[in-house]
Amino acid sequence: MTHRTAIVTGSTSGIGHEVARRLHADGFNVVITGRDETRGKQVLDELDEHAVFVPLDLTAPGAPAALAELALDAFGRLDVVVNNAAQDHTADLLDVSVDDLRHVFEVNTIAAIAVLQEAAKRMEHGGAIINITSRLASIGVPTMSVYSAAKGAIKSLTTAAAVELADRNIRVNAVAPGMTRTPLYDTWVSEQADPEQTVRDVVAGIPLGRLAAPADVAAAVSFLASEGASYITGISIPVDGGYTAR
């Protein structure tokens, strides 16, 4: 049996960790990547010989190309890329410095585009690229304008790249999570004046009445990576419990 190969960026915690586990369970070779070597090795220990971990800062020169080459060196092919690596950013819009603005876009947008470019060049059998955007690519939330803009750029990239890469038989789609129970979310809640009320307020705004679990997002990624989605390209699937449907 020939295992297809998937790269999952930012896969040492949270949503990326769960996506890596799900694709591995689906039968993929999985390339795990992130900047934290300790957490990366912990994720790797959960899997088997069909996984490798590479510590990388994707904003470093040459890192996206090195990641794509590593997948080929390790497993001989590249079929799926999940662009999950990102950095959160919260600040009043008028207070954001140009340096901070550049950094947010460097991590959340430019690195993702570079990974897409380098991976697509090496997808000899066609493939699927799945960008993790956000509910914030479609709605406005105070203090999240810069993050929203960076994720909105990835949503627009998804539709344009789907058309441009179709002749290579490469599908490009996105998944847009809503509030998801991750370590980052737990930290944010713990920093609020009234954590319990904060959770109630968040859940009250979600029609399905609960937060997303990382597994909910991973399930959508799994579908878009599968042969069952072979005629789907250029879409963004909201995994937000109906939040953006209100």
Side-chain angles (χ1 to χ4, degrees):
M1 177 181 177
T2 300
H3 288 259
R4 293 191 296 157
T5 299
I7 291 172
V8 184
T9 69
S11 45
T12 58
S13 67
I15 289 172
H17 180 187
E18 189 63 32
V19 168
R21 289 198 295 193
R22 175 60 185 261
L23 292 182
H24 187 267
D26 289 344
F28 282 87
N29 302 311
V30 178
V31 179
I32 303 155
T33 185
R35 290 177 290 183
D36 190 316
E37 292 194 42
T38 299
R39 290 192 309 200
K41 291 175 181 176
Q42 290 171 347
V43 176
L44 188 61
D45 286 345
E46 297 178 15
L47 309 180
D48 61 15
E49 71 274 11
H50 296 294
V52 296
F53 168 67
V54 54
L56 276 178
D57 177 353
L58 292 172
T59 67
L67 178 61
E69 282 297 317
L70 182 141
L72 293 181
D73 291 343
F75 300 117
R77 59 186 291 159
L78 178 56
D79 305 276
V80 169
V81 169
V82 182
N83 256 326
N84 172 73
Q87 181 172 313
D88 197 21
H89 182 271
T90 305
D92 291 338
L93 175 59
L94 302 187
D95 295 333
V96 179
S97 69
V98 172
D99 285 345
D100 284 350
L101 181 63
R102 287 195 178 106
H103 181 67
V104 171
F105 271 80
E106 188 75 34
V107 174
N108 292 348
T109 308
I110 296 173
I113 294 172
V115 169
L116 179 151
Q117 290 174 315
E118 297 297 341
K121 292 173 185 176
R122 294 165 175 82
M123 287 181 166
E124 297 180 358
H125 310 281
I129 296 170
I130 301 148
N131 298 316
I132 306 301
T133 60
S134 170
R135 65 180 182 138
L136 297 172
S138 302
I139 62 167
V141 172
T143 75
M144 300 297 294
S145 294
V146 172
Y147 181 83
S148 297
K151 286 298 190 179
I154 293 299
K155 182 180 179 183
S156 294
L157 170 73
T158 297
T159 54
V163 174
E164 190 161 351
L165 299 180
D167 62 355
R168 291 174 175 261
N169 194 31
I170 295 173
R171 298 181 296 105
V172 186
N173 292 295
V175 173
M179 280 287 204
T180 305
R181 186 69 183 267
T182 65
L184 185 65
Y185 169 85
D186 289 339
T187 298
W188 173 74
V189 168
S190 71
E191 293 171 347
Q192 305 307 302
D194 186 342
E196 292 185 1
Q197 185 60 47
T198 297
V199 171
R200 286 193 291 269
D201 291 344
V202 168
V203 171
I206 302 171
L208 286 184
R210 68 172 178 87
L211 293 173
D216 295 318
V217 183
V221 173
S222 172
F223 169 65
L224 290 173
S226 74
E227 292 301 318
S230 64
Y231 200 58
I232 298 174
T233 195
I235 67 160
S236 179
I237 298 178
V239 182
D240 62 9
Y243 184 92
T244 53
R246 294 180 307 166

